[in-house]
Amino acid sequence: MKITVAGVEVAFGDLPVLDGVSFDVATGEFVSVLGPSGCGKSTLFGVLAGLVAPDHGRVLVDGAPAGRETFGYMPQKDLLFPWRTVLDNTTLGLEVGGMRRREARERARELFAPFGLAGFERSRPAELSGGMRQRAALLRTVVQDREVLLLDEPFGALDSLTRTAMQEWLEEVRGRFGWTVLLITHDVREAVFLSDRVLVLSSRPAHVAREVRIDLPRPREVGVLTDPAFVAAEAELLDTLRGGTRL
Amino acid sequence: MTRADHRSRTEPGPPSSPPVPGRAGRTGRAPAPRTARGRTSLLGRVAPPVLVVLLLLVVWQGAVTALDVRPQVLPSPLRVLEQGWAFRAVLWANTLPTLQVTAVGFAVSLAVGWVLAVGVDFSPWLRRALVPLLVASQTLPIIAVAPLMIIWFGFGLLPKVLVIALVTFFPIAVGLIEGFARADPEAANLLRSMGGGRWAEFRYVRLPGALPSFFTALRIAITYAVTGAIFAEYVGARAGLGIYMAQQKNSFRTDLVLAAVAVTALVSVALFGLTYLVERVVAPWIKGARR
């Protein structure tokens, strides 16, 4: 399976936001999208998730137009609802998709252990720590069984210790489940640590200004942070981002 | 409840290293964050107002005894209690119709409030059309309208139900409309990404999210409902606490008027308390969330 984003353009009124964004993602790939604040990263995800209709360009799956069911979208906020238990929050997507509640719960329950949430099925979201809430939100996305996960700054609101632990955890479970992931992040180190490729968007109106391949063996652990290849990739990306205005 | 405290409770608890499978052991269930105020016992909440009321009654009793006021002008609390007890059968016979009118009127009000609020939530046109009218309906002077209701609809149930509905549907409708609108727009996007439409957004996000403000509105409305019923009966009825008060006032039985007032207050407080019970059954999650 291959996802192709071809020349996507979006303007809000007179304000051009995306100006011919093109890239592709293969099955099992982890691709990060970096870019200056307000460059249109979230708009790009909106297009992929079917929330924003592009003015030009297309999103294709193996050459055919992608439907809304291709992408599982995890927004920046966890959006866990206080009126649902943690388990029922994670089944939301399945229920909206028309699955029976019992079947949906069975499917979601299987993921609670690998997501480190076992024992919290009946808790309320307010009882979870910040990292657990993000994992519950990711579980809600993953259980929908979409082909590509769209993660919009999933760890942005976490403290740095929790964030590091979450990055290691994501690296580990992704390897285990073989997800295809597109990640928006501001954190260059996070992008390099997790990705096979990193796309750098230009400032608005955005296009893909640069693509950096991260050739580091998997599974990666914290030790990789000091690997010369890691440091080189990080430096290259920072350089590109800093030169953002000249792109 | 304000938007601010609505948000604050969605903040995560104290940051801690997340329990990662296969790594450091977990330390059981995180305790639910609750404030000390939320834990005040029932006795702790009921005792202060009861004490204040008792104190006021003692002052009243002392003043009436010391100044030797005629009971037709101001009876002592003990006399009100004594006469109220002596006439308990009549009082009860008049309480039942009032309760009935309140229940029917409030049910109509709830139905109208929900239909209007849901309609307004789904249709921007209805919102523009109805919201100004809702506000205008509250400028009607009930004191002038209630007697007209009697002229138009007689002494039966209908005019009273209409008066109660008129005074109580507004807080319910407005509470719901604002509750629906409080939904996070990003939650709507999430639902759409899951394949849901406007109905799914309403069912999974807007409706449950509106319940806290609905119950707040319900509490305001239920107290208006009893007062509305009394007022409607006062203007004209065959039976009920309102007409009973009017009759006793005309025969200078101030003590029995006050006894009926006391019954009204008890009924209102009981109905007010009942809303918490309903909330606990319908949406138990609100309690932990509300400060």
Side-chain angles (χ1 to χ4, degrees), chain B:
Chain B
M1 178 158 42
T2 65
R3 178 182 286 260
D5 63 34
H6 209 70
R7 291 300 327 154
S8 67
R9 65 169 182 275
T10 63
E11 294 303 318
S16 60
S17 197
V20 174
R23 288 161 115 248
R26 276 229 322 272
T27 50
R29 248 174 126 83
R34 288 237 169 78
T35 56
R37 263 170 72 205
R39 286 204 176 279
T40 313
S41 69
L42 189 65
L43 185 72
R45 267 178 294 159
V46 170
V50 168
L51 279 177
V52 170
V53 168
L54 282 179
L55 185 71
L56 288 173
L57 289 177
V58 167
V59 171
W60 175 1
Q61 181 76 37
V64 169
T65 314
L67 301 173
D68 199 18
V69 186
R70 284 194 308 143
Q72 288 88 338
V73 178
L74 184 65
S76 76
L78 282 178
R79 187 189 161 94
V80 171
L81 192 67
E82 179 205 335
Q83 289 300 307
W85 183 251
F87 285 83
R88 61 186 181 278
V90 185
L91 275 170
W92 180 240
N94 282 291
T95 304
L96 279 181
T98 304
L99 277 178
Q100 189 202 3
V101 162
T102 307
V104 176
F106 203 60
V108 170
S109 173
L110 275 174
V112 172
W114 272 92
V115 167
L116 286 180
V118 173
V120 162
D121 195 56
F122 273 90
S123 158
W125 189 88
L126 272 184
R127 180 183 297 268
R128 283 195 299 274
L130 289 182
V131 171
L133 294 185
L134 289 182
V135 177
S137 76
Q138 294 310 291
T139 63
L140 296 177
I142 291 295
I143 201 161
V145 174
L148 293 181
M149 296 273 191
I150 306 274
I151 295 175
W152 296 333
F153 303 112
F155 288 90
L157 198 61
L158 185 61
K160 295 164 192 66
V161 166
L162 288 177
V163 168
I164 294 169
L166 194 60
V167 288
T168 61
F169 89 99
F170 180 74
I172 291 171
V174 170
L176 276 172
I177 290 170
E178 288 181 357
F180 292 145
R182 183 180 283 172
D184 192 330
E186 288 183 44
N189 280 343
L190 177 68
L191 267 286
R192 280 171 61 207
S193 82
M194 290 169 169
R198 185 62 171 81
W199 168 246
E201 186 198 341
F202 182 78
R203 175 178 164 195
Y204 293 108
V205 181
R206 299 176 82 86
L207 178 63
L211 288 181
S213 48
F214 168 69
F215 278 105
T216 304
L218 191 72
R219 280 189 256 291
I220 296 169
I222 196 86
T223 52
Y224 287 180
V226 181
T227 328
I230 301 285
F231 185 74
E233 290 170 350
Y234 204 91
V235 184
R238 292 196 191 90
L241 286 171
I243 193 71
Y244 182 76
M245 286 178 203
Q247 287 161 352
Q248 299 311 314
K249 185 204 71 172
N250 290 340
S251 41
F252 296 100
R253 288 303 303 266
T254 315
D255 48 357
L256 289 177
V257 174
L258 288 175
V261 167
V263 171
T264 310
L266 283 178
V267 167
S268 296
V269 170
L271 289 175
F272 187 80
L274 195 63
T275 63
Y276 281 97
L277 207 66
V278 175
E279 179 184 294
R280 193 79 65 84
V281 173
V282 174
W285 57 272
I286 295 176
K287 187 174 178 285
R290 188 175 265 149
R291 306 273 156 101

Side-chain angles (χ1 to χ4, degrees), chain A residues 114-125:
Chain A
F115 277 66
L117 293 166
F120 287 88
E121 289 86 347
R122 287 159 174 240
S123 305
R124 296 282 164 177

Side-chain angles (χ1 to χ4, degrees), chain A:
Chain A
M1 189 237 9
K2 193 171 112 180
I3 305 292
T4 308
V5 177
V8 165
E9 289 178 29
V10 173
F12 294 134
D14 292 337
L15 183 73
V17 179
L18 299 180
D19 181 24
V21 174
S22 301
F23 61 90
D24 46 48
V25 182
T27 303
E29 252 196 316
F30 195 120
V31 177
S32 289
V33 179
L34 274 173
S37 293
C39 74
K41 299 188 290 285
S42 290
T43 305
L44 174 62
F45 269 30
V47 171
L48 297 178
L51 304 174
V52 178
D55 301 323
H56 293 286
R58 289 187 298 174
V59 181
L60 305 168
V61 182
D62 288 335
R68 207 173 257 177
E69 63 291 336
T70 307
F71 298 95
Y73 173 56
M74 176 178 168
Q76 280 181 36
K77 289 190 209 167
D78 59 53
L79 295 170
L80 298 173
F81 300 143
W83 51 86
R84 289 184 157 233
T85 62
V86 175
L87 179 61
D88 287 346
N89 264 291
T90 60
T91 60
L92 185 68
L94 297 177
E95 278 181 58
V96 170
M99 188 184 285
R100 288 175 169 228
R101 193 174 255 209
R102 223 173 99 198
E103 198 188 339
R105 281 179 174 164
E106 267 164 38
R107 280 190 42 185
R109 204 176 267 130
E110 285 169 16
L111 289 171
F112 268 65
F115 277 66
L117 293 166
F120 287 88
E121 289 86 347
R122 287 159 174 240
S123 305
R124 296 282 164 177
E127 296 170 49
L128 303 185
S129 70
M132 296 174 92
R133 294 177 69 103
Q134 290 302 319
R135 274 178 280 136
L138 181 61
L139 200 164
R140 180 184 60 199
T141 315
V142 165
V143 79
Q144 295 177 69
D145 216 10
R146 307 286 175 93
E147 290 182 80
V148 183
L149 301 177
L150 300 175
L151 312 183
D152 190 349
E153 286 194 63
F155 311 139
L158 301 176
D159 66 280
S160 73
L161 275 178
T162 310
R163 191 184 312 157
T164 309
M166 289 288 288
Q167 289 160 359
E168 287 179 86
W169 171 79
L170 181 60
E171 163 70 9
E172 192 256 323
V173 284
R174 191 198 74 99
R176 186 158 11 137
F177 289 96
W179 299 325
T180 308
V181 183
L182 256 172
L183 171 87
I184 286 183
T185 180
H186 278 120
D187 185 340
V188 174
R189 183 166 290 183
E190 174 173 290
V192 177
F193 181 71
L194 291 169
S195 309
D196 299 307
R197 275 186 298 141
V198 181
L199 307 174
V200 182
L201 295 190
S202 65
S203 53
R204 204 172 56 213
H207 59 272
V208 177
R210 183 159 199 145
E211 184 183 319
V212 176
R213 187 168 289 280
I214 314 292
D215 280 320
L216 289 165
R218 290 184 187 270
R220 298 173 188 163
E221 284 168 14
V222 215
V224 82
L225 297 179
T226 49
D227 190 297
F230 189 101
V231 177
E234 201 180 345
E236 185 180 354
L237 287 167
L238 272 172
D239 227 37
T240 315
L241 278 170
R242 235 179 257 147
T245 44
R246 283 183 280 113
L247 292 168

